[in-house]
C-alpha cells in the first residue's frame, strides 16, 4: 500500500498595498476675510498720518516777536538797544509784542522790571508816567522788620504807618484820631534786599501834600509799610 502524503496548504500572506506618489496634506479652510476690520485699520492709518502732518505744521508755524536783551528797570524808557527779535512757536494764550510792532513800544516806559531773554508783553509797557500828576515819589529805605515778607511789585497799594519811638509824640496827628497815623501810597519800584543789612528801598508814590510828611517819618526811622488787601475784580 502506498501512503498518501497530505499537503497542507500554507496560509496566504497579505502584502501591504503600495501607494505611489506624495500624500496630499488635509485641506484647511482659509479664514473668512472681514471687510469691516480692514476698513477700520485703513482709517486709523490715515488718521495717524493726518495727525503727524498737523503736528509738523504747528512746529513749523513760527512767529517773530520782540524780546528783552538787557535789564530794564521799572519806569525806564525803552530804547531799540534794550530790545531784540526772535522767531518762536507761539502759543495763542501767550501775549507777546510782534516784531513788526517794535516801534510801538520804543519810547514807552517799563511798567515792570524786564529781564534779558524774556518775551515782551504789551502789558509790560506803558505810555504814562509812573508818577501821576499831583503825586510825589518818595524813596523809603526799610529794614527787614519794617517791610512785609511778600515781594513788593509795582502798582501795589500800601499804607505808610507812622510808628514813633516809645515816648515820642506823633507829629501832625489829627486831634481826636485814635491809632497811629497812616498815609496811602502806591509802590512804583522795590529793590532787592541789600546783602548784609537786608534793607529794601521802595519808591512809593503819594499825594503831593503827603510827600514831605513821609520823608520826615523816613528820616526819623519811624515808618512801617503795610500792604492793602487786593481789590475784588
Amino acid at each position: 500500500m502506498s501512503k498518501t502524503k497530505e499537503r497542507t496548504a500554507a496560509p496566504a500572506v497579505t502584502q501591504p498595498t503600495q501607494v505611489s506618489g506624495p500624500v496630499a496634506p488635509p485641506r484647511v479652510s482659509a479664514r473668512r476675510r472681514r471687510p469691516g476690520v480692514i476698513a477700520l485699520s485703513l482709517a486709523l492709518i490715515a488718521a495717524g498720518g493726518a495727525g503727524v502732518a498737523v503736528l509738523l505744521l504747528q512746529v513749523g508755524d513760527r512767529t517773530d516777536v520782540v524780546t528783552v536783551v538787557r535789564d530794564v528797570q521799572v519806569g525806564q524808557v525803552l530804547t531799540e538797544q534794550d530790545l531784540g527779535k526772535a522767531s518762536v512757536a507761539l502759543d495763542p494764550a501767550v501775549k507777546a509784542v510782534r516784531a513788526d510792532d517794535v516801534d510801538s513800544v520804543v519810547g514807552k516806559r517799563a511798567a515792570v522790571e524786564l529781564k534779558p531773554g524774556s518775551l515782551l508783553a504789551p502789558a509790560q509797557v506803558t505810555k504814562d508816567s509812573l508818577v501821576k500828576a499831583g503825586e510825589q515819589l518818595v524813596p523809603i529805605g526799610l529794614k527787614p522788620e519794617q517791610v512785609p515778607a511778600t515781594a513788593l511789585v509795582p502798582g501795589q497799594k500800601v499804607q505808610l504807618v507812622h510808628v514813633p519811638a516809645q515816648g515820642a509824640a506823633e507829629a501832625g496827628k489829627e486831634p481826636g484820631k485814635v491809632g497811629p497815623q497812616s498815609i496811602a501810597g502806591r509802590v512804583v519800584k522795590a529793590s532787592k534786599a541789600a546783602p548784609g543789612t537786608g534793607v529794601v528801598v521802595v519808591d512809593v508814590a503819594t499825594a503831593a501834600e503827603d510827600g514831605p510828611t513821609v520823608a520826615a517819618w523816613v528820616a526819623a526811622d519811624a515808618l512801617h509799610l503795610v500792604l492793602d488787601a487786593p481789590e475784588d475784580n
Side-chain angles (χ1 to χ4, degrees):
M1 272 179 84
S2 62
K3 293 183 179 178
T4 304
K5 294 182 179 180
E6 295 180 357
R7 294 182 180 179
T8 304
V13 179
T14 305
Q15 297 295 329
T17 305
Q18 297 294 327
V19 179
S20 61
V23 177
R27 184 177 181 181
V28 180
S29 59
R31 289 186 178 181
R32 185 173 55 185
R33 297 177 181 272
R34 298 182 180 179
V37 175
I38 297 175
L40 178 60
S41 301
L42 293 175
L44 291 175
I45 294 172
V52 173
V54 171
L55 180 60
L56 291 175
L57 289 175
Q58 289 178 344
V59 171
D61 187 11
R62 307 180 75 83
T63 304
D64 292 334
V65 297
V66 177
T67 62
V68 180
V69 297
R70 61 185 183 183
D71 288 307
V72 179
Q73 300 301 316
V74 177
Q76 182 177 330
V77 177
L78 289 171
T79 65
E80 292 183 356
Q81 288 70 34
D82 299 322
L83 306 174
K85 297 180 181 179
S87 181
V88 298
L90 193 63
D91 189 288
V94 177
K95 304 299 181 184
V97 178
R98 299 300 196 267
D100 293 341
D101 298 329
V102 63
D103 291 339
S104 67
V105 296
V106 172
K108 290 186 177 180
R109 297 179 183 274
V112 298
E113 186 176 2
L114 303 177
K115 291 295 184 181
S118 60
L119 301 182
L120 184 65
Q124 293 177 319
V125 297
T126 177
K127 62 181 180 181
D128 301 325
S129 173
L130 299 181
V131 181
K132 302 176 183 178
E135 292 182 336
Q136 287 187 345
L137 187 67
V138 183
I140 304 173
L142 299 172
K143 299 176 183 178
E145 65 271 16
Q146 293 176 303
V147 65
T150 301
L152 298 173
V153 296
Q156 283 180 318
K157 292 184 178 181
V158 296
Q159 291 293 323
L160 306 175
V161 183
H162 185 217
V163 184
Q166 189 174 2
E170 238 187 296
K173 183 176 180 179
E174 299 178 8
K177 185 175 180 180
V178 179
Q181 186 179 1
S182 65
I183 292 175
R186 186 184 72 259
V187 175
V188 173
K189 181 182 176 182
S191 72
K192 295 181 179 179
T197 63
V199 172
V200 175
V201 178
V202 186
D203 290 343
V204 179
T206 66
E209 60 270 20
D210 294 329
T213 302
V214 173
W217 293 352
V218 173
D221 195 20
L223 183 147
H224 281 246
L225 185 145
V226 178
L227 281 176
D228 281 346
E231 297 178 353
D232 295 332
N233 295 329

